[in-house]
Amino acid sequence: MTQDRSNKQTLAAAAFAVFAVVCLIAFLAGRTADIWQLQILAGNLGGGPLIGAEGIWQSAAGSIFAVLIGVAWFGLGSFVSFLIPATRSANHSHVLELASKIAIGSAFWSLIWFFLGLAGAYSGTTAVATLVIGLVLAGLNVSRIREAKSESRVPERAGAFDKALLLLIAVPVVLALISAAAPPTAKDSLLYHLSVPKAFIAQGSNTFVEGNIASYLALGTEMHIVWARLLGGIFSERTAEVAGTIVVWLFFPLLLASIFGWARETGISRRWSLIAVLMAASVPTAYHVASSGYIDIALALYITLAIYSLCRWWGQPSNATASAIAIFLGAGLGVKMTTVFVIAAFALVVLLRARNAADTGKIIATGFGSLILAGAIASPTYIRTWAVTGSPVFPFYMSIWPGTAAGWDVERSNLFQGMNAQYGGAESNKANYLTAPVRVSVMAQPEEPANYDGVLGVAFLIGLPLLIWALWKLEIPTEAKIAAGVAGVMYLFWLFSSAQLRYLLPIVPALAIAIAASVEAFGDKLRGIAQYAFAAAALAATLTTVAWFCQKAPLRVVLGGETRDEYLTRNLDYYPFYQAVDTDTPKDSSVWLINMRRDTYNIERSVYSDYLFEDWTLRTLVWDSANIGEARAKAKALGVQYILTRYDFLFNYDRSTLVDDKKPRSENESKLKMAKDLLLDPAATIKSDNKFSLVRLGA
């Protein structure tokens, strides 16, 4: 019998090894644009001097301000935690406790900065005063930091393999730090994550930014960018920029520390806790988000700690654990509205916990009370939007809950929802719903909506059959079951809403912990092979991250060897035209941006631009005008003196968004000619190439 069991384990381990190798080969086969170009891409890191005194000083100063804000998070978080003390578990992790306190502090500082914005108090003085308060609170609790040196109840010696895992974890974290210190180039950051805080600072408050619909969204993470930019701005604009992006990067190491601490508390060994951390750290899209000023890692941190708190509540329903759920879910809802999907998953867990419980009423009260309190914590920003637009969920779902604001309407709201539904390609092929776990692991590509617009890697695909088998046949910790259950519900919401890869990041930590706990329930043979399989998958994903890092090549600009303008010219093809606007137009002039990614961050002139659908006004103007003279008059009525356009596809009949398929070709061609006369007038051209054109209106 023993021999038969051993043979089955050997066969299972061999089958798993083959499966892992197939997954890895399939992943590598699709990485022709990054991993297989890595040797060539690495050459981008050179090309000039490496270090410059002024540049490296600005990078260092901005980073220091961001770290000081992180310390202030810890200070306020320690104070709040003191008010809601919770009992420690048998396997208590000081690393997790420290990360939780910092996260709690960040959540409440975000609320404070929201209300400071309502009061019109965005200033350098306010930034310094709040930082001092946070640092004083941190100083009063500094002794707690020493406890973080002990991460587990059972000391384990770190072998060579564990050290290799730590090195692999460090690579994307360090590369993300360097990239975050470089001038931002990511689309959504230039559209609103960084441009809205910059506009808030310019106006001294968080009053809605004219023309930027994103200013109506929940902006929990962006509040920290405001704080950081105000502090950095005391020295220079470049220092402010670095501080604003590094403060968002801080959520990345905090998330990884939380994964490790939670895994240790669950009873997972040190090695497999590190593998769980590595699974999350090596996701290339996680690197991209952490380095770009995006908010999804912050959301992942709050949701991860909320799921951990839910597990604690399951074992010990109490006001303290319910309060922790409320704080972290509320913080998540303050970052992004999609947290409502998490709340739905939590509601199911609460009902399961209440079933057959002796104190059902109390369980329901504390469980659902925490969800209601989470909504209350996040409510200020939604109430504010509701009061101004008529809808708390503006600018989404306007066909269901109407709202009004200049530059947005029901048609654009529906188009936005339709655009989001394109991610994953299920709209055109319903079979993609069933094959999504394989496609998102193997076929995912950045900048390709049908392929999820990102890269996940195959570590989770490799772990999926082990997780399913363990949940079905083996005994694993309850925490792992809850984590897997919540992750599964969130995955289904993601799959049938907007299957964009970075929106999947909030379930990655919980899924990594559930997989690590599942693997430890198997025999030694499979565990031995599995550790190398996961390490290999993480290595392949990390090589993708390294290739992306080399594509941008941010090291020289961070160390001062390359100027900001040189770096942006390399990475943003339209940046020279922004320079032309800032140097060749009067300071009091206004420019109309068309199909320029609505990058208002890098331009120092008044801007008119449609949000998201960037040629909306142009299309309306052209079709409402009888001739070029009327078109120019309508353009002048917008209050602009210059027009900057990306036009390379705009006049292509088969690709142009100006073409109305319901109209005859002759009429469409006439409208395209009118648009061309408006945007490419040779007599009015200031600067142009085969892609962009800057013209003076009415020259």
Side-chain angles (χ1 to χ4, degrees):
M1 182 67 71
T2 302
Q3 183 63 38
D4 185 54
R5 183 183 296 111
S6 177
N7 290 339
K8 288 182 179 180
Q9 290 178 354
T10 300
L11 184 61
F16 172 77
V18 171
F19 172 70
V21 169
V22 170
C23 290
L24 193 57
I25 292 173
F27 174 75
L28 291 173
R31 308 284 7 122
T32 55
D34 37 53
I35 291 181
W36 298 117
Q37 299 295 319
L38 185 54
Q39 184 176 355
I40 297 173
L41 293 171
N44 293 341
L45 298 176
L50 183 62
I51 297 176
E54 183 179 1
I56 197 171
W57 156 248
Q58 291 174 333
S59 296
S63 300
I64 290 170
F65 280 122
V67 170
L68 288 176
I69 288 176
V71 176
W73 291 349
F74 166 75
L76 182 58
S78 296
F79 175 74
V80 174
S81 298
F82 175 77
L83 299 178
I84 48 172
T87 58
R88 293 179 171 180
S89 65
N91 292 323
H92 176 73
S93 168
H94 294 301
V95 169
L96 179 58
E97 180 184 3
L98 176 60
S100 297
K101 287 181 177 179
I102 296 174
I104 289 172
S106 70
F108 280 96
W109 274 121
S110 176
L111 275 175
I112 290 170
W113 275 93
F114 172 78
F115 286 110
L116 286 172
L118 292 182
Y122 286 163
S123 68
T125 302
T126 304
V128 172
T130 50
L131 180 65
V132 169
I133 292 171
L135 295 179
V136 169
L137 290 173
L140 296 175
N141 292 275
V142 70
S143 61
R144 304 284 185 183
I145 299 178
R146 300 191 186 100
E147 297 180 10
K149 295 178 181 179
S150 173
E151 47 76 24
S152 94
R153 307 328 93 219
V154 182
E156 299 177 39
R157 183 179 179 181
F161 188 76
D162 293 341
K163 294 176 181 177
L165 294 176
L166 283 168
L167 179 61
L168 275 177
I169 292 168
V171 169
V173 175
V174 172
L175 295 185
L177 172 61
I178 296 170
S179 297
T185 59
K187 179 179 178 179
D188 280 7
S189 291
L190 302 178
L191 176 68
Y192 80 96
H193 292 310
L194 298 177
S195 64
V196 168
K198 186 178 180 180
F200 282 170
I201 291 172
Q203 63 193 23
S205 70
N206 57 9
T207 302
F208 298 116
V209 179
E210 183 179 357
N212 198 326
I213 300 302
S215 62
Y216 294 91
L217 301 176
L219 298 170
T221 305
E222 287 81 358
M223 293 297 97
H224 300 299
I225 298 175
V226 170
W227 190 5
R229 287 188 65 92
L230 283 169
L231 289 171
I234 296 172
F235 287 86
S236 71
E237 176 61 25
R238 175 67 183 129
T239 303
E241 182 174 72
V242 174
T245 48
I246 295 295
V247 79
V248 179
W249 168 86
L250 290 177
F251 288 100
F252 194 24
L254 280 176
L255 175 63
L256 301 182
S258 299
I259 296 171
F260 182 79
W262 183 11
R264 296 299 283 143
E265 282 204 5
T266 303
I268 299 173
S269 68
R270 188 173 189 272
R271 173 166 297 181
W272 280 98
S273 295
L274 289 173
I275 290 175
V277 174
L278 179 59
M279 290 173 68
S282 63
V283 173
T285 293
Y287 154 80
H288 173 67
V289 167
S291 65
S292 302
Y294 282 19
I295 60 177
D296 306 88
I297 292 292
L299 180 62
L301 172 66
Y302 294 135
I303 289 178
T304 297
L305 291 174
I307 299 173
Y308 160 75
S309 301
L310 180 66
C311 294
R312 293 291 309 279
W313 175 86
W314 179 283
Q316 185 184 23
S318 66
N319 291 333
T321 52
S323 297
I325 293 173
I327 290 171
F328 292 125
L329 278 184
L333 197 55
V335 171
K336 188 171 284 190
M337 191 176 64
T338 53
T339 305
V340 297
F341 299 149
V342 188
I343 292 176
F346 275 43
L348 292 175
V349 175
V350 170
L351 293 175
L352 287 173
R353 180 63 178 81
R355 188 184 60 177
N356 300 326
D359 50 351
T360 301
K362 182 180 179 181
I363 298 295
I364 293 291
T366 58
F368 280 93
S370 69
L371 305 184
I372 294 171
L373 181 57
I377 291 172
S379 65
T381 184
Y382 292 97
I383 292 174
R384 173 172 172 260
T385 299
W386 192 355
V388 174
T389 67
S391 170
V393 297
F394 183 89
F396 307 105
Y397 309 113
M398 287 179 60
S399 58
I400 300 173
W401 195 326
T404 57
W408 202 251
D409 48 38
V410 174
E411 186 176 359
R412 275 177 274 197
S413 177
N414 291 338
L415 284 173
F416 189 23
Q417 289 170 232
M419 183 181 71
N420 283 331
Q422 294 176 4
Y423 288 98
E427 284 293 300
S428 57
N429 185 357
K430 301 301 181 184
N432 287 355
Y433 286 125
L434 297 176
T435 59
V438 175
R439 294 184 73 252
V440 77
S441 301
V442 174
M443 299 173 60
Q445 297 285 356
E447 304 298 333
E448 294 184 14
N451 289 324
Y452 307 99
D453 188 23
V455 175
L456 178 67
V458 291
F460 294 92
L461 180 62
I462 290 172
L464 186 60
L466 301 180
L467 173 61
I468 294 173
W469 185 264
L471 289 171
W472 183 27
K473 290 289 188 179
L474 305 178
E475 186 62 36
I476 62 174
T478 302
E479 293 92 332
K481 295 177 182 177
I482 294 174
V486 173
V489 173
M490 291 169 61
Y491 168 78
L492 291 175
F493 277 117
W494 170 83
L495 187 62
F496 291 100
S497 55
S498 179
Q500 192 169 175
L501 189 52
R502 57 191 173 91
Y503 295 172
L504 194 63
L505 291 180
I507 76 169
V508 162
L511 199 56
I513 289 171
I515 289 173
S518 299
V519 174
E520 288 216 306
F522 285 88
D524 292 341
K525 291 182 180 179
L526 191 141
R527 280 204 310 272
I529 291 175
Q531 65 182 2
Y532 293 107
F534 284 111
L539 176 60
T542 300
L543 288 175
T544 305
T545 292
V546 173
W548 290 5
F549 177 83
C550 292
Q551 283 176 335
K552 295 289 186 181
L555 183 61
R556 289 179 55 234
V557 71
V558 172
L559 297 180
E562 182 179 33
T563 68
R564 182 180 188 273
D565 286 345
E566 290 170 341
Y567 175 79
L568 290 177
T569 299
R570 282 198 298 108
N571 287 288
L572 295 176
D573 53 2
Y574 59 84
Y575 185 72
F577 286 83
Y578 275 51
Q579 289 178 296
V581 170
D582 288 341
T583 57
D584 299 341
T585 67
K587 291 185 178 180
D588 61 350
S589 61
S590 180
V591 58
W592 180 10
L593 301 180
I594 301 174
N595 294 328
M596 299 300 298
R597 308 202 316 179
R598 205 188 185 282
D599 174 4
T600 58
Y601 179 82
N602 286 310
I603 200 166
E604 300 302 327
R605 295 291 182 270
S606 174
V607 167
Y608 178 87
S609 179
D610 294 305
Y611 179 77
L612 209 61
F613 305 103
E614 300 171 75
D615 47 30
W616 186 275
T617 297
L618 175 65
R619 187 177 190 276
T620 303
L621 183 151
V622 167
W623 281 97
D624 287 348
S625 300
N627 52 57
I628 183 60
E630 186 177 346
R632 287 198 176 106
K634 289 179 181 294
K636 288 180 181 180
L638 298 175
V640 300
Q641 295 80 45
Y642 298 87
I643 307 176
L644 176 56
T645 312
R646 176 183 173 181
Y647 70 88
D648 57 329
F649 64 91
L650 201 57
F651 306 122
N652 182 319
Y653 192 95
D654 295 327
R655 299 173 59 199
S656 178
T657 53
L658 302 181
V659 170
D660 186 344
D661 294 331
K662 298 178 182 178
K663 305 286 186 180
R665 185 180 183 95
S666 59
E667 189 173 357
N668 276 304
E669 288 179 341
S670 174
K671 295 302 180 182
L672 288 177
K673 183 181 184 304
M674 184 189 302
K676 192 170 185 178
D677 290 342
L678 176 67
L679 303 178
L680 300 182
D681 183 359
T685 298
I686 297 174
K687 182 180 177 67
S688 67
D689 61 14
N690 59 2
K691 194 172 185 179
F692 303 99
S693 174
L694 172 63
V695 298
R696 184 185 302 109
L697 185 60

